[in-house]
Amino acid sequence: MSKIVQLKAASRARAGKGASRAVRRTGLIPGVVYGDKQDPQLISLTYGDVLPHIETGRFLSTLIDLEVDGKAVRAIPRDVQFEPVRDFIVHIDFLRLGKDARIKVNVPVHFKGQELSPGIKQGGALNIVSHTVALSCSANLIPDEISVDVSPMQIGQSVHLSNITLPEGVSSAASDDVTLCAISAQAKEEEAPADATAADVPATNQKAPAAAAAPAKGAAPAKGAAPAKGAAPAKGAAPAAAAPAKKK
């Protein structure tokens, strides 16, 4: 189950963008704690204390005991906001947890046994569909992770959340049966035939037949062929008969 992290925080009096910027200028992170039918509480946290927990990738599923001005508050992070350009933390929201509170939390999914899977040995590929799953559980029973053993899987098989035995008191928070992973066959590339015939070539790509070559300059037209329009008669040839004049 998820361990509980201890963080110290200080209360702050003013809200708003200007007040938050003033907090950040001092090297602190502004935040708020809300929920459990109580008024929101404005806090500030030390940047160096929070950053290592965020870098684990499990911060949003980690129970936090906030010590605010000497008073302990059990909470869970609900949102971490980052500055979009420089990527530093600018604000954190915490959900206050009452006694026996039941919450929805995203838990990471880890896969093991790839080296033993018959499907992968036969050339299949493991397709991971869900890296996290939404679970409903008691605030004190948050799993660290969900482990999926793919060692018995063949090509074409898949694993759903319903195939996994969840810890006692933990259930799925999704409305449908979440697919976690599948092993699929890798597609093979088809090779094109080397000696494609002209009939296989699309009509738009086939070459048109070469045009008939024009006679060489000065060459006599072929026997029986009419001279080209406007061409001079060959040397020594009788002039062509004049066309009869039109009657008036």
Side-chain angles (χ1 to χ4, degrees), residues 174-226:
S175 57
D176 54 356
D177 193 7
V178 179
T179 302
L180 302 179
C181 68
I183 293 185
S184 59
Q186 297 189 22
K188 296 182 179 179
E189 297 183 359
E190 295 183 2
E191 296 183 0
D195 52 344
T197 59
D200 296 328
V201 182
T204 53
N205 294 334
Q206 295 182 16
K207 293 184 178 181
K217 187 175 180 181
K223 186 176 181 180

Side-chain angles (χ1 to χ4, degrees), residues 4-60:
I4 300 175
V5 172
Q6 312 288 330
L7 286 177
K8 289 186 177 182
S11 59
R12 55 189 178 96
R14 293 190 304 127
K17 293 182 178 179
S20 295
R21 283 195 293 267
V23 170
R24 287 192 287 271
R25 281 196 293 268
T26 64
L28 301 175
I29 305 172
V32 62
V33 184
Y34 62 89
D36 197 27
K37 300 179 182 179
Q38 299 181 38
D39 293 334
Q41 182 178 16
L42 301 176
I43 61 172
S44 59
L45 304 101
T46 303
Y47 199 101
D49 292 345
V50 176
L51 183 61
H53 300 293
I54 291 180
E55 289 178 337
T56 64
R58 298 188 301 270
F59 187 63
L60 295 181

